[in-house]
Amino acid sequence: MDVNNCDESKPSCGHCSRFSSPCSFSEELPDKSSTANNKVTSPLSPKSPSSLVVSGGFENSFFLSPEYTTLPVALGETHHGIGNQAFGVMDLELFHFFLTETCLTISECPDRQRLWQHVIPQIAFTHHFLLRGILSFAALHLAHIQPERRESLWAEASSHYDVGVRLFHTEVLDITPFNCDACFAFSSLLAAHAWPFSHQTSDLFFSTLPPAEQEFSTTWASLLRGVHTLLDTAWDWIANGPLGPLLETHTMYPAIVRKADPEISAKLTGLSQLWDPPPSRYNPADIEALSEALVLIQEACGILNSSTSERPLSAISLALTWPTCVSATFLELVDRLEPEALIILAHYSLILNQVDGVWFMHGMSRQLLQTVHERIGKVWESWIAWPLQDLALSELNNHMDDDIVHNILPFP
């Protein structure tokens, strides 16, 4: 049918009636009254130009490089059988915002920023759960920047997040060289979502579930550790692929650790007297877990005290790495509310204070210390006085009013 000669008559246009040819408008053309208020969708095949139908029934066509799949038009991508809703102008705004703003906040390292800005969005075109994660994370970031739009942006974030997680759960059951990069990137975004999605109120390390259900815990720390569980399967594939530079192996840096501020180092070393001699309720594995967790904090403080050019890890990486490097035994001690483990956990805030300006980690240190203070008991309060004071100084340096700090912080 020549669309230039079509009069859109129903059930068959005049042009097709005259030539007795099938009319593409006979069944497929939607009623104009319905398109005024609904998004029209159509499944797109890979490597074809995409036509996005936005609210109001207006079409905006754009093209991507032929080697990448077009943006998906279905809510859950029709080949997965989840919903059928078009993307709109808001989604294009979010994608643009991610490419120009959000991606630059995920890391302080320019090389890694380039991966989040260029490589990972390209991967998302062929793994739509990752695209959903990108749009959701961008919506949260934009809501942080533009609080007057918070309600609508949170709705967008939640919608994309829900679909992305459902699709991801299907993919992650079968990690392959084809989907491992997308799963790794999405799981990283999943962990970054946890804190802002909780309205900065969730317990970062403490599960609120009953003990019998804690294996299904979705605390911030458990999500971070989940990323590394995925890497146990896919490390070699990812290391040899485009996202290889995002991988980090934990290595001790004795020379840098020795650069830690002597006063800070002495204070941290002094914590070891908490389990020397070992309390009778602890076995050797418990003592080893406490010692290792403390050494990791000493190492991080040494790195943070070194010059930026010498740092093998950025402040963001250090803050995100510590919860994944401590042993499962240490986290079990935290779950049991053992005071020695809680005291070490409180000192992890020394690292979190360094990244409090990062939008998806802002307020973590305060929440962690308040939670520990509530659970540790009066007898042990003096052991966390230093982390509390460090948080107060950090917030004062960020121009927080002195009276507010002293009224809110639970000093012993």
Side-chain angles (χ1 to χ4, degrees):
M1 181 199 72
D2 182 355
V3 294
N4 294 322
N5 295 321
C6 182
D7 59 8
E8 299 186 18
S9 299
K10 296 180 179 180
S12 180
C13 72
H15 179 80
C16 292
S17 296
R18 287 195 300 275
F19 291 91
S20 300
S21 59
C23 182
S24 61
F25 287 94
S26 60
E27 298 295 335
E28 298 176 5
L29 186 67
D31 182 75
K32 291 182 180 180
S33 63
S34 66
T35 58
N37 298 309
N38 296 285
K39 294 179 179 180
V40 182
T41 62
S42 61
L44 298 177
S45 60
K47 301 182 181 179
S48 64
S50 62
S51 177
L52 294 189
V53 184
V54 298
S55 58
F58 298 99
E59 292 187 352
N60 290 319
S61 297
F62 70 100
F63 298 86
L64 300 170
S65 300
E67 64 267 31
Y68 301 118
T69 302
T70 58
L71 282 171
V73 296
L75 177 64
E77 286 58 65
T78 53
H79 61 279
H80 286 280
I82 305 176
N84 190 26
Q85 178 180 333
F87 279 92
V89 169
M90 170 70 80
D91 304 305
L92 298 179
E93 178 189 7
L94 295 177
F95 193 65
H96 176 266
F97 187 74
F98 182 88
L99 296 178
T100 57
E101 301 290 340
T102 304
C103 67
L104 303 178
T105 68
I106 298 175
S107 174
E108 299 163 306
C109 173
D111 289 340
R112 296 184 177 199
Q113 289 174 342
R114 281 190 288 272
L115 289 177
W116 283 101
Q117 186 173 39
H118 299 290
V119 178
I120 289 175
Q122 291 174 353
I123 293 172
F125 291 142
T126 50
H127 296 85
H128 297 157
F129 64 90
L130 177 55
L131 181 60
R132 294 289 178 170
I134 285 174
L135 295 178
S136 177
F137 199 54
L140 290 179
H141 187 201
L142 192 56
H144 177 77
I145 300 296
Q146 299 180 7
E148 70 278 6
R149 299 174 62 192
R150 171 179 286 271
E151 184 175 351
S152 63
L153 287 167
W154 269 66
E156 291 289 327
S158 181
S159 176
H160 286 302
Y161 178 88
D162 288 345
V163 175
V165 167
R166 279 181 284 166
L167 296 174
F168 171 70
H169 283 167
T170 299
E171 293 284 342
V172 79
L173 293 175
D174 183 23
I175 299 292
T176 68
F178 174 70
N179 69 6
C180 63
D181 290 324
C183 287
F184 173 48
F186 184 86
S187 62
S188 300
L189 288 177
L190 194 64
H193 271 78
W195 178 245
F197 246 153
S198 75
H199 298 277
Q200 300 181 347
T201 60
S202 69
D203 283 335
L204 302 172
F205 288 83
F206 302 90
S207 175
T208 57
L209 296 174
E213 300 178 23
Q214 286 187 5
E215 63 178 301
F216 306 108
S217 172
T218 54
T219 63
W220 178 72
S222 67
L223 287 171
L224 281 177
R225 291 172 73 86
V227 178
H228 284 251
T229 300
L230 183 153
L231 292 176
D232 289 342
T233 300
W235 181 279
D236 289 341
W237 294 333
I238 297 172
N240 293 313
L243 301 189
L246 292 180
L247 298 181
E248 292 172 331
T249 56
H250 178 259
T251 305
M252 297 296 292
Y253 301 94
I256 294 179
V257 173
R258 286 194 293 270
K259 293 185 178 181
D261 182 284
E263 182 179 357
I264 292 176
S265 182
K267 287 182 178 180
L268 290 173
T269 300
L271 295 179
S272 62
Q273 64 184 286
L274 286 165
W275 52 87
D276 184 19
S280 58
R281 67 185 184 281
Y282 288 151
N283 59 41
D286 295 333
I287 299 301
E288 181 180 5
L290 292 169
S291 299
E292 287 179 350
L294 179 57
V295 168
L296 288 170
I297 290 178
Q298 290 176 302
E299 178 188 52
C301 289
I303 292 174
L304 290 171
N305 196 56
S306 63
S307 65
T308 304
S309 61
E310 291 181 300
R311 292 180 183 177
L313 297 175
S314 67
I316 294 177
S317 293
L318 286 169
L320 297 176
T321 297
W322 188 84
T324 69
C325 289
V326 295
S327 68
T329 300
F330 174 78
L331 294 180
E332 290 171 4
L333 296 176
V334 169
D335 286 337
R336 282 162 37 190
L337 303 184
E338 296 290 354
E340 294 84 357
L342 295 182
I343 290 168
I344 292 176
L345 187 60
H347 284 76
Y348 168 56
S349 69
L350 300 173
I351 305 170
L352 288 177
N353 286 340
Q354 300 294 313
V355 294
D356 196 61
V358 178
W359 69 274
F360 58 88
M361 301 182 78
H362 176 67
M364 280 187 173
S365 181
R366 168 178 288 274
Q367 175 70 6
L368 177 63
L369 286 173
Q370 288 182 336
T371 304
V372 170
H373 183 264
E374 290 168 1
R375 302 186 183 198
I376 200 170
K378 292 288 185 182
V379 175
W380 303 91
E381 280 185 347
S382 62
W383 288 92
I384 62 172
W386 174 31
L388 289 169
Q389 291 164 359
D390 188 73
L391 173 62
L393 290 174
S394 175
E395 293 186 339
L396 283 173
N397 288 335
N398 290 327
H399 310 293
M400 189 173 187
D401 183 80
D402 191 14
D403 291 334
I404 293 177
V405 172
H406 287 281
N407 286 334
I408 296 178
L409 280 177
F411 286 99

